[in-house]
Amino acid sequence: FRRPSADRPQFRTPKQAFDSYSAIFWRFGSTDARFDQRFGRLVLLALRKESSTIANRGKGSYDDLVVVMRRTGRFRELASFPICTEPGAQYSQRASGGDARYKGVKFSKADGVDINKDGIKDAGRLTEGTYQYFEKKGGFLGDRAFQVKSTQVAERDTDGDGRFTQDDKSRIDPSGAGTSMYIHRGGADNVLEPNTWSAGCQTIPKNRYPTFLKAVGTPGAFYYVLVNAAS
C-alpha cells in the first residue's frame, strides 16, 4: 500500500482530481465518513506534510492541503486550500527560554499538555484519523469556526525536537486535547512571513477563508479525514 504524496499533484481534469481525492478519502475514512461520501454529503480530506514546529521561526507552515468535496449524481464539487495541521513552536513552553533549539522563535504563550510529567507542556497535533465537526457556537477569532463534540486523540512532541515521531515517549494523548482542536482561520499566507495561529488546530489562511466557508456552506455536520502523506 502506497500513501498519497505530500506534493500537490497535477491533474488533467477536475474529474480526475475528484476521483483521486475521493479514493484517498475512502481508503482512510471511517465507515460513517464513507457513508456520507457515498450519498453526496459534504466531506473534507486533509493531507498532512510532515514539518517541524520550529520551522518558520515557530509560526507554523501552510504546507498541508485540505480538499472540500461533495458529489450529487453526475455533478462533482471540489475546492482545495492550503491548511496547517501542526502547531507552531511559538505556543511551546520550551520557546519561553532556556532551550537553544528554539532560538529565533518569538514566544507567544504556552499551550499543550504535560503528558510525560516532566514539568513541561508538550505541543500536540491531531492523530491521523476521522473527525466529525460541527459549527462552533459563537465562532472563534471573530469568524465562523468548527469544533468536534467527541474527545480528540492527540500526539505530543515530548522530546521537544519539533517533530512527532516514535522517539517521543508517551506521545499518544487520548484525552488531554478534549475538543479544543478546531478548524478556524489563521493568519494570511500572502505576506512575507505567514503566521498560522495554530497551537494544534487546523487553520486556513484568512485571505482564503471566505472562499473556504463558501465551499463548506452551512452543513449540520461534516466528516474531516486527516491523512499523513508520504514524505
Side-chain angles (χ1 to χ4, degrees):
F1 171 69
R2 177 179 292 180
R3 283 185 169 272
S5 172
D7 297 320
R8 193 164 182 171
Q10 297 297 315
F11 295 109
R12 295 178 181 176
T13 65
K15 179 181 182 301
Q16 186 184 61
F18 188 96
D19 290 347
S20 295
Y21 289 128
S22 291
I24 298 171
F25 187 94
W26 186 267
R27 169 64 181 82
F28 289 92
S30 68
T31 300
D32 289 340
R34 289 178 178 181
F35 181 89
D36 276 18
Q37 178 193 29
R38 181 179 180 183
F39 288 95
R41 295 172 183 162
L42 175 81
V43 294
L44 273 65
L45 169 70
L47 299 180
R48 171 190 280 153
K49 183 176 182 178
E50 297 285 337
S51 57
S52 172
T53 65
I54 304 173
N56 303 323
R57 296 201 290 179
K59 295 180 179 179
S61 304
Y62 286 124
D63 56 356
D64 307 322
L65 176 73
V66 64
V67 181
V68 182
M69 298 182 288
R70 184 188 289 106
R71 179 174 183 170
T72 306
R74 295 180 300 159
F75 297 98
R76 298 171 174 84
E77 299 176 39
L78 184 146
S80 60
F81 305 88
I83 189 173
C84 176
T85 67
E86 296 172 305
Q90 62 186 325
Y91 300 110
S92 173
Q93 184 177 342
R94 298 175 189 275
S96 62
D99 193 323
R101 297 174 296 180
Y102 289 73
K103 183 179 180 180
V105 176
K106 185 178 180 181
F107 177 67
S108 177
K109 65 174 183 176
D111 207 335
V113 172
D114 181 12
I115 190 68
N116 60 345
K117 308 302 180 185
D118 63 353
I120 300 174
K121 290 183 177 180
D122 304 304
R125 70 178 189 180
L126 284 180
T127 57
E128 178 181 69
T130 300
Y131 302 88
Q132 187 178 31
Y133 276 89
F134 301 80
E135 187 91 18
K136 184 181 185 300
K137 186 177 181 179
F140 189 66
L141 296 177
D143 212 329
R144 291 176 62 198
F146 305 93
Q147 182 179 18
V148 300
K149 294 182 179 180
S150 301
T151 299
Q152 294 165 304
V153 179
E155 52 186 332
R156 302 286 175 184
D157 176 21
T158 58
D159 64 8
D161 68 349
R163 300 278 182 176
F164 299 87
T165 69
Q166 297 288 340
D167 293 331
D168 293 304
K169 297 179 179 179
S170 305
R171 77 183 193 284
I172 300 302
D173 180 1
S175 60
T179 61
S180 66
M181 293 187 174
Y182 311 149
I183 297 175
H184 67 81
R185 71 180 177 94
D189 70 345
N190 57 356
V191 297
L192 185 60
E193 292 189 1
N195 191 327
T196 64
W197 302 351
S198 174
C201 290
Q202 321 295 283
T203 63
I204 293 100
K206 66 179 181 180
N207 52 304
R208 303 174 189 266
Y209 202 62
T211 307
F212 170 77
L213 291 178
K214 184 177 180 180
V216 171
T218 55
F222 60 83
Y223 284 102
Y224 172 84
V225 173
L226 174 63
V227 179
N228 293 330
S231 57

